[in-house]
Amino acid sequence: MTSIAERVHHILQAVPPHVTVVAAAKGARLEDLNQALEAGIQVVGQNHIREAREMRGHITLPVQCHFIGRLRPHSVRATTLRLFDMVQSVDSLELAERIEAVCAADNRTMPVLIEVNSGREPQKAGVFPEDVEALMRTLGGLRHVRVMGLMTMGPSCSAAEEYRPYFAETRQLFEHLHALSLPGVTMQHLSMGMSGSYEVAIEEGATMVRLGTVLFGPR
């Protein structure tokens, strides 16, 4: 059985140098997370505020922490946002405006990605692809929220190849928005793909992949 360090080394060697590996740490033990950081992981993704707070309190190695789960506007407080270097899952104007208000009072700016509901599933979070441009134009006017790209999960698929059309559409949307050069928007990051789909996501243009199981095993 391979160690976490060996898995991290394998992944970091396999992905292109322009792709950032975000270690999706939901349910991971702190000792396992430390091993991943020691092996070269520089960005950790957290789905839960409590786990992010625990990580920040016990890990001393340099690390960026991204929020990658669903964030409710009423949960956004200064003490919450101080845990994170980026919120990858902004899916509404209400959430963005709440982040704006909290960051303005805290005298900071929060980088964010807009979460795209590429499967157009009404029960899931995210903005439908056809609605992303209008939201992004509005968010570009916020002073303490900096839109830096897109994130998508895609619907649950049984095979990696089935994710391709959703990743391809999100990449096309990313390129369209990049070409617009919208004020207040910097299209740098395209976060797509998880443990079962990251190779396809990279082929379709992902610059960030969110990996949990392939690094930490089942949790």
Side-chain angles (χ1 to χ4, degrees), residues 3-218:
S3 68
I4 289 174
E6 289 172 326
R7 294 175 208 158
V8 169
H9 287 146
H10 172 75
I11 292 293
L12 293 180
Q13 289 174 357
V15 303
H18 69 276
V19 175
T20 299
V21 175
V22 179
K26 179 181 177 181
R29 300 181 305 170
L30 287 170
E31 52 265 43
D32 292 345
L33 198 49
N34 266 316
Q35 288 183 42
L37 297 177
E38 290 169 356
I41 290 295
Q42 298 180 341
V43 183
V44 170
Q46 292 284 7
N47 289 75
H48 300 297
I49 294 168
R50 178 186 55 79
E51 290 187 11
R53 185 173 291 112
E54 184 177 5
M55 183 197 79
R56 288 292 200 186
H58 291 87
I59 288 181
T60 58
L61 290 170
V63 61
Q64 283 196 23
C65 186
H66 292 190
F67 191 82
I68 60 175
R70 190 163 194 180
L71 187 60
R72 306 287 186 177
H74 64 80
S75 299
V76 177
R77 300 176 176 85
T79 53
T80 300
L81 293 183
R82 288 173 194 158
L83 298 169
F84 303 107
D85 301 286
M86 175 181 283
V87 176
Q88 290 203 18
S89 47
V90 169
D91 62 355
S92 70
L93 178 59
E94 181 186 8
L95 175 57
E97 289 181 333
R98 177 60 182 165
I99 295 172
E100 166 74 15
V102 171
C103 284
D106 206 31
N107 194 30
R108 64 172 299 197
T109 300
M110 176 60 73
V112 305
L113 306 182
I114 293 179
E115 180 175 357
V116 182
N117 185 335
S118 53
R120 295 176 173 80
E121 298 171 279
Q123 77 278 15
K124 289 189 177 180
V127 184
F128 282 15
E130 55 269 25
D131 298 325
V132 170
E133 181 179 335
L135 177 61
M136 188 168 285
R137 287 181 180 276
T138 300
L139 300 194
L142 301 179
R143 296 180 57 191
H144 298 87
V145 169
R146 185 166 74 249
V147 179
M148 300 191 70
L150 304 178
M151 182 269 262
T152 195
M153 302 277 290
S156 297
C157 298
S158 57
E161 190 61 31
E162 295 174 6
Y163 286 92
R164 191 178 297 278
Y166 305 104
F167 293 159
E169 182 180 15
T170 306
R171 185 201 71 243
Q172 291 165 4
L173 177 60
F174 178 90
E175 292 173 348
H176 167 71
L177 294 166
H178 186 276
L180 293 177
S181 298
L182 296 175
V185 172
T186 306
M187 297 295 290
Q188 294 184 21
H189 305 298
L190 181 55
S191 179
M192 303 192 300
M194 298 182 289
S195 290
S197 60
Y198 72 94
E199 292 170 315
V200 171
I202 291 172
E203 290 173 1
E204 291 299 333
T207 65
M208 285 183 177
V209 290
R210 308 177 305 276
L211 307 183
T213 303
V214 295
L215 299 181
F216 302 112

